[in-house]
Amino acid sequence: MAFQFPSYYSMPPFFTIQPVLNTRKKQLQIWVEMILGFSQANKKFEYDITESSKSPLFCNAKINRKMSPEGIRMIFEEAVLLGNGEWTDKDKNRITIYWRRPEEWGELIYRWVNQCGKLNTVLTVYEIQEGDDSEGQEFHGLETRVLLKALNALEKQKKAQVFTGSSDDNLGVKFFSI
């Protein structure tokens, strides 16, 4: 699906972090909502602040406006606070965005495993991510970091057990009927 930028994306003040606290809070929430929609439409999870400052997401050439790197960091920080993101480095330059939280991905995967009759069997991470059986599922092609978090969420719920291998490609998962 193609992402359509909302009308407020064409308003110059949108690209300047607002000084009034209540206005800024609403602005950051709107940015997070837009990023979630953009990320979902483009199946994008990972963002780097430096690279993002050149992206159409944060740079509207039509109105000659772009969000500053400091503003992008504030927006990503809001995403983390809302549970829709996680910093992937200690300097907070890279972030994983979750348009679905790992628990939600886990539920989608578990539902699919149940519908396919694969409960009490072992699947590889590759089969879930790239396998023919998962073709057409929303989680097909899911980034490994996000998939592992989803599987860990299922493990905490006692719905799955992850078996480690020598690399992410060798991971196995057994799904339990509960």
Side-chain angles (χ1 to χ4, degrees):
M1 91 174 123
F3 181 74
Q4 180 117 15
F5 284 101
S7 60
Y8 52 79
Y9 177 77
S10 296
M11 297 178 181
F14 187 60
F15 289 86
T16 302
I17 297 297
Q18 298 301 302
V20 177
L21 185 60
N22 287 340
T23 306
R24 180 182 330 132
K25 187 75 172 160
K26 182 64 177 166
Q27 178 192 27
L28 294 175
Q29 289 172 345
I30 291 170
W31 266 104
V32 170
E33 289 170 16
M34 187 177 75
I35 291 167
L36 295 177
F38 180 89
S39 298
Q40 183 173 12
N42 293 287
K43 281 199 151 196
K44 183 171 173 64
F45 293 91
E46 300 291 326
Y47 290 89
D48 177 275
I49 289 179
T50 305
E51 292 170 16
S52 293
S53 65
K54 301 169 192 141
S55 159
L57 181 58
F58 294 101
C59 184
N60 186 337
K62 288 182 182 176
I63 62 170
N64 196 28
R65 298 289 294 186
K66 68 179 185 175
M67 182 58 74
S68 69
E70 297 80 23
I72 295 170
R73 186 179 315 277
M74 287 178 77
I75 294 164
F76 286 155
E77 194 64 55
E78 183 71 13
V80 170
L81 290 172
L82 293 171
N84 294 110
E86 180 178 19
W87 293 110
T88 57
D89 67 337
K90 64 180 169 108
D91 296 329
K92 297 184 176 182
N93 290 316
R94 296 191 59 78
I95 190 170
T96 299
I97 290 291
Y98 303 118
W99 72 82
R100 286 191 191 274
R101 291 185 174 89
E103 297 80 14
E104 294 170 313
W105 284 115
E107 283 306 311
L108 281 176
I109 293 165
Y110 189 80
R111 203 172 311 130
W112 169 76
V113 167
N114 192 19
Q115 290 170 348
C116 292
K118 296 181 185 277
L119 289 175
N120 299 312
T121 64
V122 176
L123 298 172
T124 65
V125 166
Y126 179 82
E127 288 175 292
I128 297 167
Q129 275 180 311
E130 304 295 333
D132 292 340
D133 290 344
S134 70
E135 188 84 36
Q137 298 296 319
E138 192 173 349
F139 56 81
H140 186 84
L142 189 62
E143 192 156 306
T144 302
R145 176 192 320 265
V146 178
L147 177 58
L148 292 176
K149 286 196 170 287
L151 295 174
N152 287 335
L154 289 174
E155 218 171 11
K156 287 177 185 168
Q157 297 170 21
K158 308 286 189 224
K159 292 181 177 180
Q161 182 179 359
V162 179
F163 300 98
T164 57
S166 57
S167 70
D168 287 347
D169 294 339
N170 296 331
L171 292 175
V173 187
K174 183 171 184 173
F175 294 93
F176 304 112
S177 177
I178 58 165

mmCIF file of all heavy atoms in Angstrom, residues 101-145:
data_model
loop_
_atom_site.group_PDB
_atom_site.id
_atom_site.type_symbol
_atom_site.label_atom_id
_atom_site.label_comp_id
_atom_site.label_asym_id
_atom_site.label_seq_id
_atom_site.Cartn_x
_atom_site.Cartn_y
_atom_site.Cartn_z
ATOM 1 N N ARG A 101 3.143 -3.580 18.163
ATOM 2 C CA ARG A 101 4.048 -3.941 19.251
ATOM 3 C C ARG A 101 4.424 -5.418 19.106
ATOM 4 O O ARG A 101 3.674 -6.196 18.524
ATOM 5 C CB ARG A 101 3.377 -3.653 20.590
ATOM 6 C CG ARG A 101 3.223 -2.153 20.822
ATOM 7 C CD ARG A 101 2.660 -1.852 22.205
ATOM 8 N NE ARG A 101 2.647 -0.422 22.451
ATOM 9 C CZ ARG A 101 1.635 0.379 22.125
ATOM 10 N NH1 ARG A 101 0.558 -0.103 21.557
ATOM 11 N NH2 ARG A 101 1.710 1.666 22.384
ATOM 12 N N PRO A 102 5.570 -5.818 19.659
ATOM 13 C CA PRO A 102 5.984 -7.219 19.548
ATOM 14 C C PRO A 102 4.911 -8.210 19.999
ATOM 15 O O PRO A 102 4.743 -9.266 19.381
ATOM 16 C CB PRO A 102 7.233 -7.285 20.437
ATOM 17 C CG PRO A 102 7.808 -5.910 20.340
ATOM 18 C CD PRO A 102 6.608 -4.996 20.296
ATOM 19 N N GLU A 103 4.169 -7.857 21.045
ATOM 20 C CA GLU A 103 3.099 -8.750 21.527
ATOM 21 C C GLU A 103 2.019 -8.937 20.456
ATOM 22 O O GLU A 103 1.457 -10.028 20.315
ATOM 23 C CB GLU A 103 2.468 -8.184 22.806
ATOM 24 C CG GLU A 103 3.417 -8.077 23.980
ATOM 25 C CD GLU A 103 4.339 -6.843 23.926
ATOM 26 O OE1 GLU A 103 4.090 -5.925 23.123
ATOM 27 O OE2 GLU A 103 5.311 -6.836 24.687
ATOM 28 N N GLU A 104 1.727 -7.869 19.716
ATOM 29 C CA GLU A 104 0.723 -7.947 18.649
ATOM 30 C C GLU A 104 1.225 -8.814 17.491
ATOM 31 O O GLU A 104 0.468 -9.617 16.939
ATOM 32 C CB GLU A 104 0.372 -6.543 18.148
ATOM 33 C CG GLU A 104 -0.325 -5.690 19.191
ATOM 34 C CD GLU A 104 -0.458 -4.247 18.772
ATOM 35 O OE1 GLU A 104 0.534 -3.649 18.301
ATOM 36 O OE2 GLU A 104 -1.574 -3.703 18.906
ATOM 37 N N TRP A 105 2.507 -8.646 17.142
ATOM 38 C CA TRP A 105 3.090 -9.510 16.104
ATOM 39 C C TRP A 105 3.034 -10.966 16.561
ATOM 40 O O TRP A 105 2.714 -11.862 15.782
ATOM 41 C CB TRP A 105 4.543 -9.118 15.810
ATOM 42 C CG TRP A 105 4.697 -7.883 14.991
ATOM 43 C CD1 TRP A 105 5.257 -6.704 15.376
ATOM 44 C CD2 TRP A 105 4.295 -7.693 13.625
ATOM 45 N NE1 TRP A 105 5.220 -5.806 14.348
ATOM 46 C CE2 TRP A 105 4.644 -6.382 13.259
ATOM 47 C CE3 TRP A 105 3.669 -8.511 12.680
ATOM 48 C CZ2 TRP A 105 4.398 -5.871 11.998
ATOM 49 C CZ3 TRP A 105 3.421 -8.000 11.417
ATOM 50 C CH2 TRP A 105 3.785 -6.699 11.083
ATOM 51 N N GLY A 106 3.358 -11.187 17.838
ATOM 52 C CA GLY A 106 3.325 -12.543 18.383
ATOM 53 C C GLY A 106 1.948 -13.165 18.249
ATOM 54 O O GLY A 106 1.814 -14.333 17.863
ATOM 55 N N GLU A 107 0.906 -12.397 18.550
ATOM 56 C CA GLU A 107 -0.460 -12.911 18.426
ATOM 57 C C GLU A 107 -0.804 -13.244 16.982
ATOM 58 O O GLU A 107 -1.463 -14.261 16.721
ATOM 59 C CB GLU A 107 -1.470 -11.923 19.012
ATOM 60 C CG GLU A 107 -1.524 -11.947 20.527
ATOM 61 C CD GLU A 107 -1.762 -13.335 21.104
ATOM 62 O OE1 GLU A 107 -2.698 -14.039 20.656
ATOM 63 O OE2 GLU A 107 -1.007 -13.738 22.009
ATOM 64 N N LEU A 108 -0.375 -12.411 16.039
ATOM 65 C CA LEU A 108 -0.614 -12.704 14.610
ATOM 66 C C LEU A 108 0.074 -14.001 14.201
ATOM 67 O O LEU A 108 -0.508 -14.837 13.500
ATOM 68 C CB LEU A 108 -0.084 -11.566 13.724
ATOM 69 C CG LEU A 108 -0.918 -10.324 13.593
ATOM 70 C CD1 LEU A 108 -0.178 -9.281 12.759
ATOM 71 C CD2 LEU A 108 -2.252 -10.641 12.940
ATOM 72 N N ILE A 109 1.310 -14.157 14.633
ATOM 73 C CA ILE A 109 2.072 -15.363 14.299
ATOM 74 C C ILE A 109 1.429 -16.595 14.940
ATOM 75 O O ILE A 109 1.246 -17.621 14.276
ATOM 76 C CB ILE A 109 3.548 -15.206 14.735
ATOM 77 C CG1 ILE A 109 4.219 -14.117 13.887
ATOM 78 C CG2 ILE A 109 4.296 -16.532 14.623
ATOM 79 C CD1 ILE A 109 5.544 -13.624 14.444
ATOM 80 N N TYR A 110 1.059 -16.474 16.210
ATOM 81 C CA TYR A 110 0.453 -17.605 16.913
ATOM 82 C C TYR A 110 -0.869 -18.008 16.259
ATOM 83 O O TYR A 110 -1.140 -19.199 16.078
ATOM 84 C CB TYR A 110 0.255 -17.260 18.393
ATOM 85 C CG TYR A 110 -0.174 -18.463 19.203
ATOM 86 C CD1 TYR A 110 0.755 -19.394 19.630
ATOM 87 C CD2 TYR A 110 -1.517 -18.668 19.525
ATOM 88 C CE1 TYR A 110 0.372 -20.504 20.366
ATOM 89 C CE2 TYR A 110 -1.905 -19.777 20.260
ATOM 90 C CZ TYR A 110 -0.961 -20.691 20.675
ATOM 91 O OH TYR A 110 -1.343 -21.799 21.387
ATOM 92 N N ARG A 111 -1.660 -17.039 15.890
ATOM 93 C CA ARG A 111 -2.943 -17.319 15.210
ATOM 94 C C ARG A 111 -2.686 -18.067 13.898
ATOM 95 O O ARG A 111 -3.370 -19.047 13.585
ATOM 96 C CB ARG A 111 -3.682 -16.005 14.950
ATOM 97 C CG ARG A 111 -5.166 -16.168 14.791
ATOM 98 C CD ARG A 111 -5.921 -14.849 14.729
ATOM 99 N NE ARG A 111 -5.553 -13.924 15.800
ATOM 100 C CZ ARG A 111 -5.219 -12.658 15.602
ATOM 101 N NH1 ARG A 111 -5.223 -12.129 14.418
ATOM 102 N NH2 ARG A 111 -4.890 -11.895 16.622
ATOM 103 N N TRP A 112 -1.686 -17.631 13.134
ATOM 104 C CA TRP A 112 -1.335 -18.284 11.868
ATOM 105 C C TRP A 112 -0.864 -19.717 12.112
ATOM 106 O O TRP A 112 -1.286 -20.640 11.409
ATOM 107 C CB TRP A 112 -0.258 -17.463 11.149
ATOM 108 C CG TRP A 112 0.371 -18.157 9.989
ATOM 109 C CD1 TRP A 112 -0.181 -18.339 8.749
ATOM 110 C CD2 TRP A 112 1.661 -18.767 9.948
ATOM 111 N NE1 TRP A 112 0.700 -19.024 7.953
ATOM 112 C CE2 TRP A 112 1.847 -19.288 8.669
ATOM 113 C CE3 TRP A 112 2.688 -18.902 10.880
ATOM 114 C CZ2 TRP A 112 3.005 -19.948 8.282
ATOM 115 C CZ3 TRP A 112 3.843 -19.554 10.507
ATOM 116 C CH2 TRP A 112 3.990 -20.072 9.228
ATOM 117 N N VAL A 113 0.008 -19.898 13.108
ATOM 118 C CA VAL A 113 0.505 -21.243 13.438
ATOM 119 C C VAL A 113 -0.667 -22.155 13.784
ATOM 120 O O VAL A 113 -0.741 -23.296 13.319
ATOM 121 C CB VAL A 113 1.528 -21.174 14.606
ATOM 122 C CG1 VAL A 113 1.818 -22.551 15.177
ATOM 123 C CG2 VAL A 113 2.814 -20.508 14.150
ATOM 124 N N ASN A 114 -1.593 -21.650 14.570
ATOM 125 C CA ASN A 114 -2.774 -22.425 14.961
ATOM 126 C C ASN A 114 -3.633 -22.765 13.742
ATOM 127 O O ASN A 114 -4.050 -23.915 13.572
ATOM 128 C CB ASN A 114 -3.577 -21.630 15.999
ATOM 129 C CG ASN A 114 -4.641 -22.454 16.668
ATOM 130 O OD1 ASN A 114 -4.607 -23.673 16.648
ATOM 131 N ND2 ASN A 114 -5.601 -21.780 17.268
ATOM 132 N N GLN A 115 -3.884 -21.785 12.885
ATOM 133 C CA GLN A 115 -4.721 -21.997 11.695
ATOM 134 C C GLN A 115 -4.080 -22.975 10.712
ATOM 135 O O GLN A 115 -4.779 -23.701 10.013
ATOM 136 C CB GLN A 115 -5.006 -20.673 10.994
ATOM 137 C CG GLN A 115 -5.941 -19.779 11.769
ATOM 138 C CD GLN A 115 -6.022 -18.366 11.189
ATOM 139 O OE1 GLN A 115 -5.230 -17.976 10.339
ATOM 140 N NE2 GLN A 115 -6.987 -17.598 11.678
ATOM 141 N N CYS A 116 -2.751 -22.999 10.673
ATOM 142 C CA CYS A 116 -2.040 -23.894 9.754
ATOM 143 C C CYS A 116 -1.828 -25.290 10.336
ATOM 144 O O CYS A 116 -1.250 -26.155 9.672
ATOM 145 C CB CYS A 116 -0.676 -23.305 9.389
ATOM 146 S SG CYS A 116 -0.769 -21.827 8.387
ATOM 147 N N GLY A 117 -2.254 -25.484 11.579
ATOM 148 C CA GLY A 117 -2.084 -26.796 12.201
ATOM 149 C C GLY A 117 -0.641 -27.097 12.563
ATOM 150 O O GLY A 117 -0.226 -28.256 12.553
ATOM 151 N N LYS A 118 0.124 -26.066 12.891
ATOM 152 C CA LYS A 118 1.542 -26.251 13.202
ATOM 153 C C LYS A 118 1.850 -26.155 14.697
ATOM 154 O O LYS A 118 3.001 -26.043 15.083
ATOM 155 C CB LYS A 118 2.383 -25.239 12.420
ATOM 156 C CG LYS A 118 2.293 -25.441 10.919
ATOM 157 C CD LYS A 118 3.147 -24.437 10.180
ATOM 158 C CE LYS A 118 2.967 -24.542 8.684
ATOM 159 N NZ LYS A 118 3.753 -25.572 8.070
ATOM 160 N N LEU A 119 0.796 -26.208 15.528
ATOM 161 C CA LEU A 119 1.047 -26.228 16.965
ATOM 162 C C LEU A 119 1.768 -27.523 17.329
ATOM 163 O O LEU A 119 1.567 -28.562 16.688
ATOM 164 C CB LEU A 119 -0.267 -26.128 17.750
ATOM 165 C CG LEU A 119 -0.967 -24.775 17.698
ATOM 166 C CD1 LEU A 119 -2.315 -24.844 18.397
ATOM 167 C CD2 LEU A 119 -0.112 -23.684 18.321
ATOM 168 N N ASN A 120 2.624 -27.446 18.331
ATOM 169 C CA ASN A 120 3.414 -28.581 18.806
ATOM 170 C C ASN A 120 4.408 -29.072 17.763
ATOM 171 O O ASN A 120 4.818 -30.231 17.790
ATOM 172 C CB ASN A 120 2.514 -29.724 19.299
ATOM 173 C CG ASN A 120 1.656 -29.273 20.453
ATOM 174 O OD1 ASN A 120 2.151 -28.656 21.395
ATOM 175 N ND2 ASN A 120 0.366 -29.532 20.359
ATOM 176 N N THR A 121 4.775 -28.213 16.852
ATOM 177 C CA THR A 121 5.839 -28.513 15.887
ATOM 178 C C THR A 121 6.898 -27.427 16.000
ATOM 179 O O THR A 121 6.660 -26.367 16.562
ATOM 180 C CB THR A 121 5.323 -28.566 14.428
ATOM 181 O OG1 THR A 121 4.840 -27.269 14.067
ATOM 182 C CG2 THR A 121 4.233 -29.594 14.252
ATOM 183 N N VAL A 122 8.061 -27.696 15.446
ATOM 184 C CA VAL A 122 9.148 -26.729 15.459
ATOM 185 C C VAL A 122 9.259 -26.103 14.076
ATOM 186 O O VAL A 122 9.290 -26.806 13.066
ATOM 187 C CB VAL A 122 10.494 -27.391 15.853
ATOM 188 C CG1 VAL A 122 11.638 -26.382 15.777
ATOM 189 C CG2 VAL A 122 10.406 -27.997 17.245
ATOM 190 N N LEU A 123 9.282 -24.787 14.059
ATOM 191 C CA LEU A 123 9.489 -24.020 12.829
ATOM 192 C C LEU A 123 10.779 -23.232 12.976
ATOM 193 O O LEU A 123 11.155 -22.855 14.085
ATOM 194 C CB LEU A 123 8.340 -23.036 12.587
ATOM 195 C CG LEU A 123 6.948 -23.606 12.383
ATOM 196 C CD1 LEU A 123 5.923 -22.484 12.343
ATOM 197 C CD2 LEU A 123 6.896 -24.398 11.086
ATOM 198 N N THR A 124 11.442 -22.957 11.871
ATOM 199 C CA THR A 124 12.615 -22.090 11.922
ATOM 200 C C THR A 124 12.160 -20.643 11.776
ATOM 201 O O THR A 124 11.068 -20.364 11.255
ATOM 202 C CB THR A 124 13.613 -22.422 10.801
ATOM 203 O OG1 THR A 124 12.996 -22.142 9.538
ATOM 204 C CG2 THR A 124 14.063 -23.873 10.861
ATOM 205 N N VAL A 125 12.999 -19.749 12.232
ATOM 206 C CA VAL A 125 12.716 -18.328 12.058
ATOM 207 C C VAL A 125 12.591 -18.026 10.564
ATOM 208 O O VAL A 125 11.716 -17.266 10.150
ATOM 209 C CB VAL A 125 13.820 -17.466 12.728
ATOM 210 C CG1 VAL A 125 13.746 -16.017 12.277
ATOM 211 C CG2 VAL A 125 13.708 -17.567 14.238
ATOM 212 N N TYR A 126 13.428 -18.659 9.757
ATOM 213 C CA TYR A 126 13.366 -18.456 8.313
ATOM 214 C C TYR A 126 11.995 -18.855 7.756
ATOM 215 O O TYR A 126 11.434 -18.153 6.921
ATOM 216 C CB TYR A 126 14.474 -19.245 7.603
ATOM 217 C CG TYR A 126 14.423 -19.072 6.106
ATOM 218 C CD1 TYR A 126 14.994 -17.960 5.506
ATOM 219 C CD2 TYR A 126 13.776 -20.003 5.291
ATOM 220 C CE1 TYR A 126 14.924 -17.775 4.131
ATOM 221 C CE2 TYR A 126 13.700 -19.830 3.924
ATOM 222 C CZ TYR A 126 14.282 -18.720 3.354
ATOM 223 O OH TYR A 126 14.206 -18.533 1.989
ATOM 224 N N GLU A 127 11.457 -19.983 8.198
ATOM 225 C CA GLU A 127 10.136 -20.419 7.721
ATOM 226 C C GLU A 127 9.053 -19.386 8.042
ATOM 227 O O GLU A 127 8.153 -19.154 7.241
ATOM 228 C CB GLU A 127 9.741 -21.756 8.346
ATOM 229 C CG GLU A 127 10.506 -22.949 7.816
ATOM 230 C CD GLU A 127 10.142 -24.214 8.558
ATOM 231 O OE1 GLU A 127 10.478 -24.328 9.759
ATOM 232 O OE2 GLU A 127 9.504 -25.099 7.931
ATOM 233 N N ILE A 128 9.157 -18.778 9.218
ATOM 234 C CA ILE A 128 8.168 -17.774 9.610
ATOM 235 C C ILE A 128 8.357 -16.509 8.786
ATOM 236 O O ILE A 128 7.391 -15.935 8.283
ATOM 237 C CB ILE A 128 8.277 -17.471 11.122
ATOM 238 C CG1 ILE A 128 7.952 -18.726 11.934
ATOM 239 C CG2 ILE A 128 7.360 -16.319 11.510
ATOM 240 C CD1 ILE A 128 8.321 -18.637 13.397
ATOM 241 N N GLN A 129 9.600 -16.092 8.631
ATOM 242 C CA GLN A 129 9.897 -14.840 7.919
ATOM 243 C C GLN A 129 9.737 -14.952 6.411
ATOM 244 O O GLN A 129 9.200 -14.048 5.784
ATOM 245 C CB GLN A 129 11.357 -14.426 8.165
ATOM 246 C CG GLN A 129 11.607 -13.657 9.391
ATOM 247 C CD GLN A 129 13.087 -13.329 9.506
ATOM 248 O OE1 GLN A 129 13.949 -14.203 9.351
ATOM 249 N NE2 GLN A 129 13.380 -12.083 9.796
ATOM 250 N N GLU A 130 10.271 -16.017 5.841
ATOM 251 C CA GLU A 130 10.402 -16.093 4.383
ATOM 252 C C GLU A 130 9.794 -17.337 3.748
ATOM 253 O O GLU A 130 9.862 -17.502 2.536
ATOM 254 C CB GLU A 130 11.891 -16.046 3.997
ATOM 255 C CG GLU A 130 12.645 -14.831 4.521
ATOM 256 C CD GLU A 130 12.153 -13.527 3.934
ATOM 257 O OE1 GLU A 130 11.618 -13.525 2.807
ATOM 258 O OE2 GLU A 130 12.303 -12.491 4.606
ATOM 259 N N GLY A 131 9.231 -18.218 4.564
ATOM 260 C CA GLY A 131 8.731 -19.483 4.044
ATOM 261 C C GLY A 131 7.521 -19.338 3.132
ATOM 262 O O GLY A 131 6.783 -18.346 3.191
ATOM 263 N N ASP A 132 7.331 -20.349 2.294
ATOM 264 C CA ASP A 132 6.188 -20.348 1.368
ATOM 265 C C ASP A 132 4.863 -20.312 2.129
ATOM 266 O O ASP A 132 3.910 -19.675 1.686
ATOM 267 C CB ASP A 132 6.230 -21.595 0.469
ATOM 268 C CG ASP A 132 7.402 -21.559 -0.504
ATOM 269 O OD1 ASP A 132 7.936 -20.464 -0.762
ATOM 270 O OD2 ASP A 132 7.779 -22.642 -1.005
ATOM 271 N N ASP A 133 4.814 -21.015 3.264
ATOM 272 C CA ASP A 133 3.560 -21.070 4.032
ATOM 273 C C ASP A 133 3.169 -19.718 4.632
ATOM 274 O O ASP A 133 1.993 -19.458 4.859
ATOM 275 C CB ASP A 133 3.664 -22.107 5.159
ATOM 276 C CG ASP A 133 3.688 -23.536 4.628
ATOM 277 O OD1 ASP A 133 3.332 -23.737 3.455
ATOM 278 O OD2 ASP A 133 4.066 -24.431 5.406
ATOM 279 N N SER A 134 4.166 -18.865 4.896
ATOM 280 C CA SER A 134 3.853 -17.561 5.501
ATOM 281 C C SER A 134 3.657 -16.471 4.447
ATOM 282 O O SER A 134 3.313 -15.338 4.787
ATOM 283 C CB SER A 134 4.944 -17.143 6.486
ATOM 284 O OG SER A 134 6.136 -16.811 5.820
ATOM 285 N N GLU A 135 3.843 -16.833 3.190
ATOM 286 C CA GLU A 135 3.635 -15.873 2.096
ATOM 287 C C GLU A 135 2.223 -15.288 2.192
ATOM 288 O O GLU A 135 1.258 -15.998 2.419
ATOM 289 C CB GLU A 135 3.799 -16.587 0.744
ATOM 290 C CG GLU A 135 3.787 -15.662 -0.443
ATOM 291 C CD GLU A 135 5.133 -15.048 -0.723
ATOM 292 O OE1 GLU A 135 6.150 -15.734 -0.530
ATOM 293 O OE2 GLU A 135 5.159 -13.882 -1.112
ATOM 294 N N GLY A 136 2.144 -13.967 2.074
ATOM 295 C CA GLY A 136 0.853 -13.301 2.141
ATOM 296 C C GLY A 136 0.441 -12.896 3.553
ATOM 297 O O GLY A 136 -0.522 -12.162 3.726
ATOM 298 N N GLN A 137 1.161 -13.384 4.556
ATOM 299 C CA GLN A 137 0.874 -12.990 5.929
ATOM 300 C C GLN A 137 1.540 -11.641 6.205
ATOM 301 O O GLN A 137 2.599 -11.338 5.650
ATOM 302 C CB GLN A 137 1.401 -14.031 6.929
ATOM 303 C CG GLN A 137 0.765 -15.392 6.787
ATOM 304 C CD GLN A 137 -0.719 -15.349 7.100
ATOM 305 O OE1 GLN A 137 -1.166 -14.689 8.028
ATOM 306 N NE2 GLN A 137 -1.498 -16.053 6.287
ATOM 307 N N GLU A 138 0.953 -10.855 7.058
ATOM 308 C CA GLU A 138 1.498 -9.526 7.342
ATOM 309 C C GLU A 138 2.910 -9.597 7.927
ATOM 310 O O GLU A 138 3.721 -8.711 7.720
ATOM 311 C CB GLU A 138 0.576 -8.769 8.300
ATOM 312 C CG GLU A 138 0.915 -7.311 8.404
ATOM 313 C CD GLU A 138 -0.094 -6.512 9.208
ATOM 314 O OE1 GLU A 138 -1.174 -7.030 9.519
ATOM 315 O OE2 GLU A 138 0.227 -5.363 9.531
ATOM 316 N N PHE A 139 3.230 -10.664 8.633
ATOM 317 C CA PHE A 139 4.546 -10.800 9.253
ATOM 318 C C PHE A 139 5.588 -11.392 8.301
ATOM 319 O O PHE A 139 6.759 -11.482 8.659
ATOM 320 C CB PHE A 139 4.463 -11.638 10.540
ATOM 321 C CG PHE A 139 3.871 -12.994 10.335
ATOM 322 C CD1 PHE A 139 4.633 -14.043 9.851
ATOM 323 C CD2 PHE A 139 2.532 -13.221 10.611
ATOM 324 C CE1 PHE A 139 4.077 -15.301 9.661
ATOM 325 C CE2 PHE A 139 1.969 -14.467 10.432
ATOM 326 C CZ PHE A 139 2.736 -15.508 9.938
ATOM 327 N N HIS A 140 5.184 -11.793 7.101
ATOM 328 C CA HIS A 140 6.145 -12.321 6.118
ATOM 329 C C HIS A 140 7.160 -11.224 5.807
ATOM 330 O O HIS A 140 6.797 -10.108 5.476
ATOM 331 C CB HIS A 140 5.420 -12.770 4.842
ATOM 332 C CG HIS A 140 6.323 -13.451 3.867
ATOM 333 N ND1 HIS A 140 6.630 -14.784 3.951
ATOM 334 C CD2 HIS A 140 6.987 -12.983 2.784
ATOM 335 C CE1 HIS A 140 7.434 -15.115 2.968
ATOM 336 N NE2 HIS A 140 7.673 -14.024 2.249
ATOM 337 N N GLY A 141 8.437 -11.526 5.951
ATOM 338 C CA GLY A 141 9.487 -10.540 5.711
ATOM 339 C C GLY A 141 9.767 -9.650 6.917
ATOM 340 O O GLY A 141 10.535 -8.692 6.823
ATOM 341 N N LEU A 142 9.147 -9.967 8.041
ATOM 342 C CA LEU A 142 9.327 -9.169 9.257
ATOM 343 C C LEU A 142 10.804 -9.137 9.644
ATOM 344 O O LEU A 142 11.495 -10.156 9.574
ATOM 345 C CB LEU A 142 8.506 -9.784 10.397
ATOM 346 C CG LEU A 142 8.377 -9.002 11.692
ATOM 347 C CD1 LEU A 142 7.678 -7.669 11.452
ATOM 348 C CD2 LEU A 142 7.583 -9.823 12.705
ATOM 349 N N GLU A 143 11.276 -7.983 10.009
ATOM 350 C CA GLU A 143 12.673 -7.823 10.411
ATOM 351 C C GLU A 143 12.993 -8.749 11.585
ATOM 352 O O GLU A 143 12.193 -8.908 12.508
ATOM 353 C CB GLU A 143 12.914 -6.368 10.785
ATOM 354 C CG GLU A 143 14.363 -6.072 10.923
ATOM 355 C CD GLU A 143 14.651 -4.617 10.703
ATOM 356 O OE1 GLU A 143 14.256 -4.075 9.661
ATOM 357 O OE2 GLU A 143 15.268 -4.036 11.591
ATOM 358 N N THR A 144 14.172 -9.359 11.551
ATOM 359 C CA THR A 144 14.557 -10.367 12.540
ATOM 360 C C THR A 144 14.464 -9.854 13.964
ATOM 361 O O THR A 144 13.942 -10.542 14.844
ATOM 362 C CB THR A 144 15.982 -10.890 12.251
ATOM 363 O OG1 THR A 144 16.007 -11.437 10.924
ATOM 364 C CG2 THR A 144 16.390 -11.958 13.242
ATOM 365 N N ARG A 145 14.940 -8.635 14.232
ATOM 366 C CA ARG A 145 14.906 -8.080 15.586
ATOM 367 C C ARG A 145 13.471 -8.035 16.114
ATOM 368 O O ARG A 145 13.192 -8.399 17.252
ATOM 369 C CB ARG A 145 15.517 -6.682 15.602
ATOM 370 C CG ARG A 145 15.451 -5.983 16.937
ATOM 371 C CD ARG A 145 15.794 -4.496 16.859
ATOM 372 N NE ARG A 145 16.881 -4.157 15.990
ATOM 373 C CZ ARG A 145 18.144 -4.005 16.374
ATOM 374 N NH1 ARG A 145 18.464 -4.171 17.628
ATOM 375 N NH2 ARG A 145 19.074 -3.684 15.514
#
